[in-house]
């Protein structure tokens, strides 16, 4: 293969970075991002460029999902499904169906990023256009900022319990307040804010090590908590049926089961959309799929069963059903239980916050102006923004969440459907990697002034009705026009948006084709239908780049012994 077989567009070279520069690639030594000379500095830095090496194993992906599932929110969500008025076996079916849907969709969204080695906002460039890709990135980034603040606040509540138990004098800090949060809350929030920022600042490898440890650690404590409560209650007093009220007959239970399925999918919709930010690090697509299998259906079901056993034991032990693990630990009223439980739930919340709400805006905001905003700076923008939003003031207000985040969250479904349709149906899994990093107006993904009209119109056409489905039913329930049961329609907004986004993009591309299919092209093209061509490289595009660089290095290097063969740049040791 010759160097001319992989054309480079004329553009302003991206600046090189020093080893300790803030623009250093996320968790990698300087230079690990495959920064080619032709990449435009307005579109690329070492965080957004295709990876030279993809080192994450199936366990790393599995640990990612453990951190995402093992949280107070995951505990309450799983427990709440058993209180919908349907039988336990029906809840189990809903859990299995819901999490299998999540697994399938997660695999779909993982492939384009894993095979190209680029994060979620960059992979959108082939579809939305070089500039248009900022639209889905900013939408996802804003949602992540809001929930980053909420999760940090929830973790701070757990830390408050530890302070009040072991430092009685800290109760005096509950009186003074600023911007709606008491002094103790500010202290706990600040401690966790700094702790999360420290983990994040050290890069993706530090985050990988943290989640590799955090997920299993939470499991150990959850199992200990379940064993303790069951021993106190007696196994004969444990009922796995947490249903309340009159049991529903079979036909009446079907809509409730569908709602339970929708709740499971909606719960994972955020991290599912930008899962490519993590899948890009996987050694291979098969590695990512194995990690998803163990991390989603296996892990989620085991955690749900553990949750139900723990919640069921609270009835005979405390005389009431407690579905919040923080309150469960509080009721045990033993210093060791409070310390261990509090620190565990803090760890769990920090884990989900970093993987679900810190990584996404880091890449998303860096994508807006890579030459000015690094991965680290993007993450810190999110961290500072989370404080400015003062999440403690609106988290308890249903209408504030409903109308502010509800509108943005409703767009996750359309964005997902558009990406899946664009990659698998329209582009047929073929992406020209280099053309996602050029501002050349003749390049494949420039479209019209940097925007693909079909993708933008598809987002608008799918987004408006999806927002209506997410907002209107609950608004009418709030107004007393409809019964509370009609509000469950909003739980299906993700499915509505995903289906409409998929359908509209296919329709518009059939009427006015814009996304190139790259039929017959191989040079610089990532082909998702092809097997891995070289261990350590996701596709022909990045493998070819490494080979070309190795050939160039060989030509420029001093004469070597003929028996000495240089390794391709970035090849696995």
């Amino acid at each position: 293969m010759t160097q001319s077989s992989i054309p480079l567009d004329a553009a302003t070279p991206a600046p090189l970075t020093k080893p300790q520069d803030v623009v250093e690639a996320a968790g990698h030594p300087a230079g690990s991002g495959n920064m080619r000379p032709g990449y435009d500095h307005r579109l690329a830095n070492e965080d957004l460029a295709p990876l030279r090496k993809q080192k994450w194993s199936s366990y790393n992906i599995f640990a990612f999902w453990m951190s995402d599932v093992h949280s107070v929110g995951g505990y309450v969500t799983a427990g709440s499904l058993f209180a919908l008025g349907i039988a336990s076996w029906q809840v189990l079916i809903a859990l299995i169906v819901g999490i299998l849907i999540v697994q399938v969709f997660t695999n779909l969204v993982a492939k384009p990023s894993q095979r190209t080695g680029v994060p979620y906002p960059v992979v959108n460039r082939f579809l939305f256009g070089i500039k248009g890709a900022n639209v889905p990135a900013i939408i996802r980034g804003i949602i992540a900022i809001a929930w980053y603040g909420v999760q940090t606040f929830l973790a701070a509540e757990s830390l408050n319990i530890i302070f009040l138990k072991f430092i009685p004098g800290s109760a005096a800090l509950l009186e003074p307040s600023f911007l709606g949060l008491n002094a103790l809350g500010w202290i706990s929030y600040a401690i966790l804010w700094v702790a999360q920022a420290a983990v994040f600042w050290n890069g993706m490898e530090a985050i990988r090590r943290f989640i590799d440890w955090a997920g299993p650690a939470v499991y150990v404590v959850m199992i200990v908590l379940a064993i303790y409560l069951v021993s106190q209650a007696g196994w004969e007093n444990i009922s796995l049926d947490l249903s309340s009220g009159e049991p529903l007959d079979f036909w009446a239970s079907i809509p409730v089961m569908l709602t339970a399925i929708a709740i499971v999918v909606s719960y994972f919709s955020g991290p599912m959309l930008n899962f490519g930010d993590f899948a890009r690090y996987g050694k291979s697509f098969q590695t990512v799929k194995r990690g998803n299998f163990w991390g989603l259906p296996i892990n989620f079901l085991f955690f749900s069963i553990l949750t139900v056993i723990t919640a069921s034991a609270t009835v005979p032990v405390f005389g009431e059903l407690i579905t919040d693990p923080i309150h469960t630990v509080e009721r045990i009223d033993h210093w060791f239980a409070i310390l261990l439980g509090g620190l565990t739930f803090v760890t769990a919340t920090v884990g989900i916050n970093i993987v679900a709400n810190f990584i996404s805006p880091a890449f998303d905001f860096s994508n807006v102006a890579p030459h000015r905003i690094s991965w680290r700076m993007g993450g810190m923008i999110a961290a500072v923004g989370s404080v400015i939003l003062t999440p403690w003031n609106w988290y308890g207000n249903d209408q504030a969440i409903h109308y502010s985040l509800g509108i943005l969250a409703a767009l996750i479904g359309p964005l997902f459907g558009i990406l899946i349709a664009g990659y698998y149906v329209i582009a047929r899994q073929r992406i020209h990697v280099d053309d996602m990093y050029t501002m050349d107006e003749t390049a494949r993904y420039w479209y019209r002034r940097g925007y693909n009209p079909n993708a933008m119109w598809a987002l608008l056409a799918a987004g408006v009705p999806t927002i209506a489905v997410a907002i209107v039913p609950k608004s009418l329930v709030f107004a007393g026009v409809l019964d509370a049961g009609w509000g469950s329609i909003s739980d299906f907004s993700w499915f509505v948006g995903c289906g409409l986004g998929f359908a509209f993009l296919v329709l518009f591309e059939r009427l006015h084709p814009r996304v190139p299919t790259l039929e017959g092209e191989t040079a610089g093209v990532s082909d998702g239908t092809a097997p891995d061509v070289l261990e350590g490289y996701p596709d022909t595009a990045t493998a070819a780049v490494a080979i070309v660089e190795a050939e160039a290095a060989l030509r420029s290097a001093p004469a070597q012994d003929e028996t000495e063969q240089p390794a391709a740049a970035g090849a696995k040791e």
Side-chain angles (χ1 to χ4, degrees):
M1 181 177 293
T2 63
Q3 190 163 355
S4 61
S5 65
I6 306 177
L8 291 177
D9 301 298
T12 305
L16 298 176
T17 57
K18 299 182 290 298
Q20 301 304 320
D21 199 331
V22 73
V23 191
E24 181 184 349
H28 297 272
S32 287
N34 205 348
M35 290 292 293
R36 302 189 64 194
Y39 286 179
D40 195 293
H41 74 292
R42 293 167 292 179
L43 295 173
N45 58 28
E46 291 183 351
D47 306 319
L48 300 179
L51 296 173
R52 290 180 184 271
K53 295 183 181 181
Q54 296 169 295
K55 301 186 294 184
W56 283 29
S57 66
S58 294
Y59 175 78
N60 299 139
I61 301 297
F62 171 46
F64 161 83
W65 287 117
M66 279 197 287
S67 292
D68 198 58
V69 171
H70 302 176
S71 65
V72 175
Y75 186 106
V76 174
T77 299
S80 67
L81 298 182
F82 286 82
L84 291 177
I86 54 179
S88 295
W89 67 268
Q90 292 174 306
V91 175
L92 183 61
I93 290 176
L95 284 170
I96 293 174
V97 173
I99 205 64
L100 287 177
I101 291 174
V102 172
Q103 182 192 5
V104 170
F105 285 149
T106 300
N107 286 338
L108 288 175
V109 82
K111 193 171 189 179
S113 286
Q114 194 285 320
R115 296 307 299 267
T116 58
V118 305
Y120 167 74
V122 172
V123 85
N124 271 303
R125 293 175 184 174
F126 90 91
L127 180 56
F128 282 86
I130 295 301
K131 296 181 179 179
N134 285 323
V135 174
I138 291 174
I139 291 173
R140 179 66 183 99
I142 293 175
I143 296 172
I145 287 179
W147 286 113
Y148 176 82
V150 168
Q151 292 283 8
T152 303
F153 170 63
L154 292 177
E157 293 285 280
S158 299
L159 196 56
N160 285 347
I161 295 173
I162 296 176
F163 279 129
L164 292 172
K165 177 66 177 180
F166 294 96
I167 309 177
S170 62
L173 297 174
L174 296 175
E175 294 298 327
S177 66
F178 176 68
L179 294 179
L181 184 64
N182 59 56
L184 181 60
W186 274 107
I187 292 172
S188 296
Y189 193 96
I191 290 173
L192 290 167
W193 192 95
V194 171
Q196 291 175 117
V199 174
F200 170 81
W201 191 264
N202 282 286
M204 284 299 293
E205 282 301 294
I207 292 172
R208 179 187 61 80
R209 289 192 294 268
F210 176 80
I211 62 178
D212 283 354
W213 164 83
V218 174
Y219 251 143
V220 170
V221 175
M222 285 291 296
I223 292 172
V224 170
L225 179 62
I227 292 174
Y228 171 78
L229 290 175
V230 170
S231 67
Q232 293 294 308
W235 183 255
E236 67 278 3
N237 296 319
I238 302 297
S239 172
L240 299 182
D241 188 359
L242 303 182
S243 301
S244 58
E246 291 294 326
L248 301 174
D249 61 39
F250 177 77
W251 293 110
S253 67
I254 297 300
V256 181
M257 290 180 66
L258 293 176
T259 299
I261 293 171
I263 289 173
V264 172
V265 177
S266 297
Y267 178 78
F268 289 101
S269 62
M272 188 165 60
L273 177 65
N274 67 285
F275 181 67
D277 292 340
F278 299 89
R280 71 185 295 225
Y281 295 98
K283 292 180 179 179
S284 68
F285 184 51
Q286 292 300 320
T287 295
V288 173
K289 289 200 296 184
R290 281 195 301 270
N292 286 343
F293 171 74
W294 287 102
L296 285 168
I298 303 301
N299 172 54
F300 184 66
L301 284 177
F302 181 72
F303 181 78
S304 298
I305 293 172
L306 193 62
T307 297
V308 170
I309 292 174
T310 304
S312 298
T314 63
V315 177
V317 174
F318 303 118
E320 61 177 321
L321 176 64
I322 303 176
T323 58
D324 189 324
I326 296 176
H327 295 159
T328 301
V329 170
E330 277 187 296
R331 293 290 292 272
I332 295 177
D333 198 25
H334 187 279
W335 71 268
F336 181 74
I338 292 177
L339 178 62
L340 183 61
L343 291 177
T344 298
F345 295 128
V346 165
T347 301
T349 306
V350 168
I352 187 177
N353 218 12
I354 289 177
V355 301
N357 302 316
F358 216 148
I359 304 302
S360 174
F363 284 120
D364 292 336
F365 295 142
S366 180
N367 187 72
V368 175
H371 56 306
R372 294 190 176 95
I373 304 176
S374 69
W375 181 80
R376 287 187 173 91
M377 188 180 297
M380 297 314 295
I381 289 173
V384 173
S386 71
V387 180
I388 295 175
L389 288 177
T390 62
W392 48 85
N393 285 324
W394 54 265
Y395 175 67
N397 187 326
D398 291 340
Q399 293 193 29
I401 296 176
H402 177 57
Y403 289 108
S404 57
L405 285 183
I407 293 176
L408 288 173
L411 296 176
I412 291 179
L415 289 173
F416 191 97
I418 290 171
L419 177 59
I420 297 306
Y423 183 69
Y424 290 95
V425 178
I426 308 302
R428 299 174 188 173
Q429 304 187 48
R430 287 188 285 269
I431 298 176
H432 195 286
V433 179
D434 289 343
D435 273 12
M436 293 193 292
Y437 295 94
T438 177
M439 297 288 281
D440 184 353
E441 297 184 12
T442 64
R444 295 169 179 82
Y445 304 129
W446 179 255
Y447 298 116
R448 182 184 297 172
R449 298 179 181 177
Y451 297 84
N452 179 2
N454 288 343
M456 303 305 294
W457 280 113
L459 179 59
L460 181 64
V464 171
T466 304
I467 290 173
V469 170
I471 299 297
V472 173
K474 288 186 177 179
S475 299
L476 296 178
V477 170
F478 287 148
V481 177
L482 295 176
D483 293 333
W486 288 98
S488 61
I489 294 176
S490 298
D491 294 326
F492 296 89
S493 62
W494 187 91
F495 289 94
V496 172
C498 182
L500 289 178
F502 187 99
F504 277 121
L505 182 69
V506 172
L507 174 63
F508 295 155
E509 283 289 335
R510 292 288 186 263
L511 295 175
H512 302 286
R514 294 183 183 274
V515 177
T517 60
L518 307 179
E519 290 283 356
E521 297 188 45
T522 57
V525 175
S526 165
D527 187 350
T529 64
D532 294 343
V533 297
L534 184 64
E535 186 179 3
Y537 300 106
D539 51 57
T540 54
T542 48
V545 168
I547 293 171
V548 168
E549 290 177 347
E551 291 175 346
L554 179 61
R555 287 192 296 270
S556 61
Q560 299 179 0
D561 184 80
E562 293 183 358
T563 61
E564 187 175 343
Q565 297 295 328
K572 297 183 70 174
E573 291 86 351

